[in-house]
Amino acid sequence: MEALIPVINKLQDVFNTVGADIIQLPQIAVVGTQSSGKSSVLEALVGRDLLPRGTGVVTRRPLILQLVHVDPEDRRKTSEENGVDGEEWGKFLHTKNKIYTDFDEIRLEIEAETERVSGNNKGITDEPIHLKIFSPHVVNLTLVDLPGITKVPVGDQPKDIEVQIKDLIVKHISNPNSIILAVTAANTDMATSEALKVAREVDPDGRRTLAVVTKLDLMDAGTDAMDVLMGRVIPVKLGLIGVVNRSQLDINNKKTVANSIRDEYAFLQKKYPSLASRNGTKYLARTLNRLLMHHIRDCLPELKTRINVLAAQYQSLLSSYGEPVEDQSSTLLQLITKFAAEYCHTIEGTAKYIETTELCGGARICYIFHETFGRTLESVDPLGGLTTIDVLTAIRNATGPRPALFVPEVSFELLVKRQVKRLEEPSLRCVELVHEEMQRIIQHCSNYSTQELLRFPKLHDAIVEVVTSLLRKRLPVTNEMVHNLVAIELAYINTKHPDFADACGLMNNNIEEQRRNRMRELPSSVPRDKTAGGGSQGDQDVGTGNWRGMLKKGEEGVGGDKSMLQTSNPGSPQRGHAVNLLDVPVPVSRKLSAREQRDCEVIERLIKSYFLIVRKNIQDSVPKAVMHFLVNHVKDSLQSELVGQLYKAGLLDDLLTESEDMAQRRNEAADMLKALQKASQVIAEIRETQMW
C-alpha cells in the first residue's frame, strides 16, 4: 500500500501536463495563521530550508509540494540519467525539466514565481506553484502550503485580504479527498484557533482533520501542553501531534533541520516523556504518510469512476470539434450536402434534432397556413367597409339617367370585386410569414443539426448568404402568383357557379315567401294585385330562377318603414335666396322605400354568398401556390445552388479556414482526453497489482 502515494504523484503529474484541476486528488492541505509555524513544519518534513520567510503574508500562492522518497539504488540511476550531482534535488512544473540541487535557489525561484503572478503588493492568487522534491530522507507525501490566515491588512495589502485568504483556504480544504493539517501555536489558546475553526466549517465531524501544535518550547513558565496533546481541550478524531520548531535565532545561525529534530526529541523526552513517542516531526511524517495512504485507498474507486466519466465527456467533445481537414474538396461537399439534407428534413419533420419548445420548420409552415392565414381570412367580414349608402349609390350609378326596373348586374360586380380585393393583403402576408420561417430554418440547422459548420465561420456565412439569396429570389415570384390568384377571381365573376346558383335559388324562395306573408296580412279591402308594382312581369322573373327574380318591385317591404338613409348635410338653402340645384344637399335622413330596402338586402346577400365562395378558393389555393413556388422550389434546388455557388477550387482554402480558437480547443480536448486515458491506465495497474 506504500506505493499508493507515488501513484497519486503520477496522477498529479499527468494532470499537471494539461494544467487542469478537474480531478480532486488526495492531498494534505496545511492551514494556519501567520507565524503559527506552518513553514517550519513543512521544512521539517522536507528536512531542508526551502520556503521564503519574512513578515506579513509570505505565502501568497498555494504551493503544491510533492515529496518523493528515493532509494539509494534509484538515486544513482536517476543521477546518471539526469546528470544530478547530489542525493536530493527539486523540480518545478513551470521550469519544465530544469533540476535544482541548491535549495537556496529553490527558495529564490518560489519568491520570483510568486511575484511574477501575484505582483509585489502582497496580494494573493489561487494559481498554484508545483514543486517536487526527491530525497532519501523524506516519506511520500503530497502537501499544499496555503497562505496564513490574517485579520488586518498591513502596508499595501488589499483591504479585503482576510476574505481573499479565507476563500482560497476554503476552496482547497473543501476538497473531500483532502486531509486538513490544522497548525496552531502552543502559546495561544486552542479554543480560539483560527485553523481549527476554518477546518470545522468544511469538516464538522473532524474525520479528515489532523491538528499540529507547534512551539511547545515557547509556552509560559509553569505551563505545559499536556491537556492539549491528550485531546482534553479540543478533541480531534485524527489526533493532535506536538512539534518543536526552530527559532528565528536558530535559522539565522544556520541550524540544520536534522540538528533541530535531534534537539526536539531531547526536549520531548525531558518535558513529555510519556508522550514523546507519539509526538515530534518524525512521528508527524509517519502519521501523515499512513493517513494519506489510507485516504487514497478510500478515494480511488470514486476517483476511477470520475476519470472514466470525464474521459467519455471529452471524447464526445473532441468528436464534436471534428478531425483536421485533409481532403478539402470532399469535406466541403460533405458539409454542403449535410446542410441541404438537414434543411429539407427540418421542413419535412424528419430532422434528427427536433425542437421541443416551439414549432419549427414544416410544422410552423402548416400552422401559418391553417391557423394564422385561415383564421385571418375567416375574420374578414364579407360586408366589411360596405355601408347601405354605398350599396344604394352603386345601384343608382349603374342605372345612369334612367330609373331602373331591375337592379343592374354591374352594381353587384362592382361591389363584390371591392370586397374580394380585401383578400389580397392577408394572402401576401401569408407568403411573408412562410418566407420568414424558411429564413429561421437556416439558423436552426446551424445551431442544432450541423455543428461542424461552427468550425468554419466563413463557410457558415457563405451558406447563409446563398440560401438567403435563393429565398429572396423566390419571394417576388411567389408574391406575383398570389397576386394573380386574387386577380383571377376579380377577372370573372362567375354567377353561374353551382354554389352561387344554389344560394340565389334559396334567396328567391325566401323573398317570395316573405311577399306572400305580407299579402296575407293586408286588409281584405286592399286589392292584392296593388301590393306589388311589378305585376305579372315580376312573378315571371321569380319563376325563372334568375338572380334578378329576387328584385321585386313594390311600395312596401319588410322593415321599410324603419330603415333610415343617413347622408351628410353641410347646409340648407335659406329662404329668400336664389337656389342652385347643384348645391341642394340630400336630406339628412329619410326612410328607405320598400324597393330600396329590398334591393339593398338582395345585393348584400349576393355579395356575401359570392365572397364566401371566393374566400374558400383563396384559402385553398394560396398555400398550394406558396408550397410550389417557394417551399418546394427551395427544397429541390438548394443543394445544386449551394454546390454551384460554393464548390469552387478558388474558394476551398478560404471557406475551410477554421475559427481562431477551434484548433486550440481541439488540441486542449485531445490533451485532456489523453491525460484522462493515461490516468485510467495508472489506476488499472493499481488494481492489477492489488495495491488496495
Side-chain angles (χ1 to χ4, degrees), residues 172-191:
H172 281 82
I173 66 177
S174 296
N175 173 10
N177 294 336
S178 67
I179 294 174
I180 304 171
L181 189 64
V183 180
T184 304
N187 55 0
T188 60
D189 189 351
M190 288 289 291

Side-chain angles (χ1 to χ4, degrees), residues 553-621:
K553 296 185 295 179
E555 296 298 330
E556 298 293 337
V558 178
D561 57 339
K562 298 179 181 179
S563 300
M564 306 293 290
L565 182 63
Q566 302 293 335
T567 60
S568 60
N569 185 20
S572 301
Q574 298 179 359
R575 184 175 301 175
H577 291 272
V579 177
N580 185 343
L581 292 178
L582 296 178
D583 291 337
V584 176
V586 179
V588 175
S589 62
R590 66 175 177 83
K591 291 183 179 180
L592 289 177
S593 66
R595 167 70 180 275
E596 291 172 339
Q597 176 71 15
R598 186 174 66 251
D599 290 351
C600 288
E601 285 183 2
V602 170
I603 288 294
E604 288 175 356
R605 291 185 183 184
L606 290 173
I607 291 173
K608 184 174 182 180
S609 175
Y610 195 82
F611 180 87
L612 295 178
I613 294 171
V614 174
R615 186 173 72 183
K616 184 177 179 181
N617 294 341
I618 294 295
Q619 191 169 351
D620 178 65
S621 58

Side-chain angles (χ1 to χ4, degrees), residues 317-324 452 455 658 662 666:
L317 182 63
L318 186 60
S319 299
S320 69
Y321 292 153
E323 296 294 331
E452 293 91 338
R455 292 176 56 193
E658 286 188 316
M662 182 58 69
R666 186 193 300 109

Side-chain angles (χ1 to χ4, degrees), residues 29-64:
V30 185
V31 183
T33 58
Q34 287 183 26
S35 303
S36 62
K38 278 191 312 90
S39 297
S40 296
V41 170
L42 289 173
E43 287 182 337
L45 292 173
V46 177
R48 300 293 294 266
D49 294 331
L50 78 161
L51 298 177
R53 291 182 177 275
T55 59
V57 180
V58 178
T59 304
R60 296 188 285 129
R61 291 178 61 183
L63 174 65
I64 298 179

Side-chain angles (χ1 to χ4, degrees), residues 162-233:
E162 177 188 0
V163 177
Q164 289 185 30
I165 292 176
K166 183 174 181 181
D167 291 344
L168 177 59
I169 291 173
V170 170
K171 175 184 175 182
H172 281 82
I173 66 177
S174 296
N175 173 10
N177 294 336
S178 67
I179 294 174
I180 304 171
L181 189 64
V183 180
T184 304
N187 55 0
T188 60
D189 189 351
M190 288 289 291
T192 61
S193 171
E194 288 291 335
L196 290 174
K197 178 184 175 183
V198 173
R200 187 164 292 181
E201 290 179 6
V202 298
D203 182 33
D205 297 332
R207 295 181 181 276
R208 53 188 182 90
T209 301
L210 174 67
V212 175
V213 182
T214 62
K215 304 182 181 181
L216 291 176
D217 58 332
L218 298 181
M219 296 188 68
D220 293 338
T223 63
D224 60 33
M226 185 63 73
D227 289 341
V228 173
L229 297 177
M230 294 292 290
R232 296 170 185 161
V233 178

Side-chain angles (χ1 to χ4, degrees), residues 237-255:
K237 289 189 178 181
L238 294 185
L240 291 98
I241 298 176
V243 297
V244 177
N245 304 101
R246 289 182 298 167
S247 66
Q248 188 61 46
L249 180 62
D250 293 335
I251 295 171
N252 294 339
N253 293 333
K254 305 295 183 180
K255 183 177 181 179

